[in-house]
Amino acid sequence: MVLKLFKAVWFLSMLVTLAILLFNYAGLPETVVVQEEGASVFRVGRDTYFYTMTALIALVNVMVFPIAKVFVTKPEFRTWFYGLVIALNFFFIVSMNFVGLFNSGEKFDYNQIRYIVYFSVGLFIAWTISWPIYLVYKRFAS
C-alpha cells in the first residue's frame, strides 16, 4: 500500500518538475546566470540550461524502472528509492524556481528563499541517510 502511494506521489512530482521546467524556460533570458559569487559568474545559454536540466531530470526519474526490476522482491527498498527520487524532484523544483527568480531581473531578497533551498537539500540528505538507519534498526530489532 505504501509503495503504491509513493509511486503515485513520484509520478505527480515528476509531472510537476517537468511543468516547472517548461514554465521557467519560457521566462529565462538568452543567457542564464547559474552561479554568481563575487566577480566570478557562471553563465550558460538558455537552451543549454533547458536540455541539461531535462537530461538530469530524465536520468533521475528513469532510474526508478531498473530499480523496480532488479529489486522486485524488496518492496521496502523500492519504496525508499521512490522517496529518494521524490526528494530529488523537490530539490529540482526549488532550484529551478530559484534560478528563474534570480534571472528574472526583479528586486528580491534572496535571503528569504534560502531556508527553502536548505530544506530541500536537508530533505534529500535525511532521506538518503534514512535507509542505512532503517537497516540497522531492522537488524537489531529482530
Side-chain angles (χ1 to χ4, degrees):
M1 179 65 185
V2 175
L3 179 60
K4 288 183 181 183
L5 179 66
F6 272 63
K7 280 184 184 180
V9 173
W10 161 71
F11 188 72
L12 182 64
S13 74
M14 180 183 63
L15 291 179
V16 169
T17 304
L18 292 175
I20 294 293
L21 176 64
L22 292 173
F23 180 75
N24 281 340
Y25 176 72
L28 289 174
E30 287 299 317
T31 305
V32 178
V33 176
V34 178
Q35 180 182 9
E36 180 178 38
E37 282 195 33
S40 65
V41 177
F42 180 66
R43 301 172 194 255
V44 294
R46 181 171 80 164
D47 293 338
T48 304
Y49 174 77
F50 175 77
Y51 289 119
T52 302
M53 288 305 296
T54 303
L56 190 60
I57 292 167
L59 178 69
V60 166
N61 284 285
V62 166
M63 286 303 297
V64 165
F65 299 112
I67 292 295
K69 294 291 181 190
V70 171
F71 294 100
V72 172
T73 60
K74 297 184 180 181
E76 293 172 334
F77 180 76
R78 288 180 19 217
T79 303
W80 173 81
F81 192 77
Y82 276 107
L84 183 69
V85 174
I86 291 167
L88 274 172
N89 282 339
F90 181 70
F91 172 73
F92 289 148
I93 290 168
V94 169
S95 63
M96 287 185 297
N97 279 325
F98 182 73
V99 169
L101 178 65
F102 187 78
N103 285 283
S104 68
E106 296 179 20
K107 186 177 179 176
F108 186 77
D109 184 15
Y110 297 103
N111 290 328
Q112 294 178 350
I113 199 171
R114 71 178 175 193
Y115 298 112
I116 299 171
V117 174
Y118 293 151
F119 175 76
S120 67
V121 173
L123 177 67
F124 173 72
I125 291 170
W127 197 267
T128 304
I129 293 171
S130 70
W131 182 251
I133 292 173
Y134 173 74
L135 290 178
V136 169
Y137 170 75
K138 190 176 172 183
R139 172 167 274 176
F140 288 118
S142 61

